[in-house]
Structure formats: structure tokens, C-alpha cells
Amino acid sequence: MKAEFINPFLSSLVEVLKTMAQIDLEPGEPDKKTEDIASGDVSGVIGMVGPQIKGSLAITVEKSLALHIYSNMLGESIEEIDTQVKDMIGEITNMVCGGAKRILGENGYEFELATPTIISGQGHEIHHKVSGPKLIMPFISNFGKAYIEICFDK
Amino acid sequence: MKAEFINPFLSSLVEVLKTMAQIDLEPGEPDKKTEDIASGDVSGVIGMVGPQIKGSLAITVEKSLALHIYSNMLGESIEEIDTQVKDMIGEITNMVCGGAKRILGENGYEFELATPTIISGQGHEIHHKVSGPKLIMPFISNFGKAYIEICFDK
């Protein structure tokens, strides 16, 4: 998996949270995903399909960060991950992949996005069934952590 | 959402479990999905994208049924939902959607499938972010229940 393909997703997440929620994310060290257990409390999962690309992406967010994003984006605070928070995580997943799709399209990678599915529940596990590598990238903020998982068929 | 579009997914699940695992599924009554909580213990989620279609499908299976499918397909029993069971649920999700895609292609509906993502963890919740209706269809077997959720953008 080439950095030129992965990086647009990472920069897009940083950009989306900065512009939409005024939250700064600090990228950590990328790693191979070996454990299924999600590192956060709510996850947006989206499928991607194109001539050269077939895969899935998950954005997993800790509850404290998810609630902060909601509060900053919508101007009202909330205590629990409810339907509105899930829809917001789905929308962020859409925006991040949409931003990456635009950049990648300019570089000759064409793909379409499916609709996002939002997973929640304490200790939920996400297992991507792909033939290629599974990458996980952590991000740190003042309000909690977020992770992007990107997985593709070879 | 037309029955002619939904039915191939339902018949494909019945067919796949019958031929691959010698398990008979009895279709129940379709309903609108209103609750996020998954009715089963392990779920295969897949994105679908085509010119007329953009959506997500989840196949959710109770643990007892998942373990029975595994045992019948692979000839060895297993006690817990481990990586092999998850991969099998992902493979079944692929096969069901692949079968439906073939039938629907003959009727003029073209779409591509992303890679499946498998969700597990007790009480995990699945929330499809789509603008169209969300359908859930239960199936009953001697070993437990399975559910198909199909959701599309309008």
C-alpha cells in the first residue's frame, strides 16, 4: 500500500476536524492492524470500490472526542453516543473519504464510496476481510484519540 | 425499495446456507429497521456502489447459528466467535451479495461490492447512514436466527 494512496485519507481527517470542529489532531505512528478490538467507542465504516481499488475504511473515535466534536460542530453538548452523534460520525467518514477521493482522483486513482455504516457498543470489534495489508493510524487530540483503519484487497 | 431488488439477497442467503452448510432458513416477516442494536452476535457488513445504487447490507447471525454454520462448513466444532468464524461470516456476506449481484445484473441493476467488514462484540450496534428506507428481514433456523439489513440512498 503506497503512502501516496494512504496520506490523503490521513490529511483529510486532520483537515475535516480542524475546519468543522476546531479540533487539532496530532498524527501518531502508523502500524499494522493485528487486533480486531476497536480502539474507540464509535466507528464509521465505509466501503470503496474502483477499477484499481477495493477496500474498506474505518474511522474509530473515543467517546470523549466524539462528544467534543459534536458539541463544537453543533453548538450543543451531549452526554451519550446517540443517533445524532452516530449520524455525525457517518458524515465525518463521508467527508474524509470524499476529500481523499478528490485528491486521489487528480492522481489517477478512481473509486466510488458506498454509504457509511456506524458501529457502536463498548468493546465492539471490527475485522476487515481483505487480502492486502491492514493499516491503523492513531491521532491524538486534547479530547481523546481517533484512529483510521485502511484495508484493501491486493 | 422494490421487492424485485430485495428478494435476490434474501433468496441468496437461504441458498448459500443450504448448499454450503446444509442449514435450512425459514424467512420471517420483513420490517423497517428502527433500532440500532444488532439482533445477532456477529455481523458482516458490505458496501455496494453502482450507477443506480448506493447502499450497505449487513448479515447478522446469532452465535449459536454462526458456530453451527462453521462446524457444518469446515467439519470442526468451535466454541467462540474467533477470527476464523469472522472470516467465514465475511465470506458468506460476499457470497450472498455476489449471488444477488448476478441475478440483479440480469435485470439491469449493476453495482460493485466493496470488501466485507465483520463486526462482533456483545450488544454491538449497527447504524446505516442512508437517505432511503432501512429494511430488516429475519430468518429462523433450528440453530438460531439470522437477519439481513438492506439500506440504500434514495
Side-chain angles (χ1 to χ4, degrees), chain A residues 36 45 47-49 54-56 83 86-87 90-91 94 112-121 123-130 153, chain B residues 36 45 47-49 54-56 83 86-87 90-91 94 112-121 123-130 153:
Chain A
D36 287 340
V45 176
M48 297 177 281
V49 191
K54 186 169 172 172
S56 56
T83 302
K86 292 177 193 173
D87 275 336
E91 196 48 47
N94 258 337
E112 297 300 324
L113 298 167
T115 50
T117 303
I118 300 91
I119 314 298
S120 55
H124 69 268
E125 299 184 8
I126 300 177
H127 176 77
H128 302 266
K129 185 165 163 55
V130 292
D153 271 357
Chain B
D36 285 342
V45 176
M48 297 177 280
V49 192
K54 186 170 172 172
S56 56
T83 303
K86 291 178 194 174
D87 275 336
E91 196 48 45
N94 258 337
E112 297 300 323
L113 298 167
T115 51
T117 303
I118 300 91
I119 314 298
S120 56
H124 69 269
E125 298 183 8
I126 300 177
H127 177 77
H128 301 266
K129 185 168 163 51
V130 291
D153 271 358

Side-chain angles (χ1 to χ4, degrees), chain B residues 21 23 63-73 78 88 143:
Chain B
I23 289 174
K63 181 179 171 183
S64 57
L65 178 55
L67 300 182
H68 245 93
I69 298 170
Y70 185 89
S71 160
N72 284 12
M73 277 178 72
I78 199 162
M88 179 200 72
F143 311 106

Side-chain angles (χ1 to χ4, degrees), chain A residues 98-118:
Chain A
K101 178 173 162 20
R102 220 168 17 246
I103 298 167
L104 287 165
E106 291 165 7
N107 295 327
Y109 291 102
E110 295 291 345
F111 61 94
E112 297 300 324
L113 298 167
T115 50
T117 303
I118 300 91

Side-chain angles (χ1 to χ4, degrees), chain B residues 75-86:
Chain B
E76 49 184 272
S77 42
I78 199 162
E79 297 294 316
E80 292 303 325
I81 294 168
D82 66 359
T83 303
Q84 288 174 289
V85 175
K86 291 178 194 174

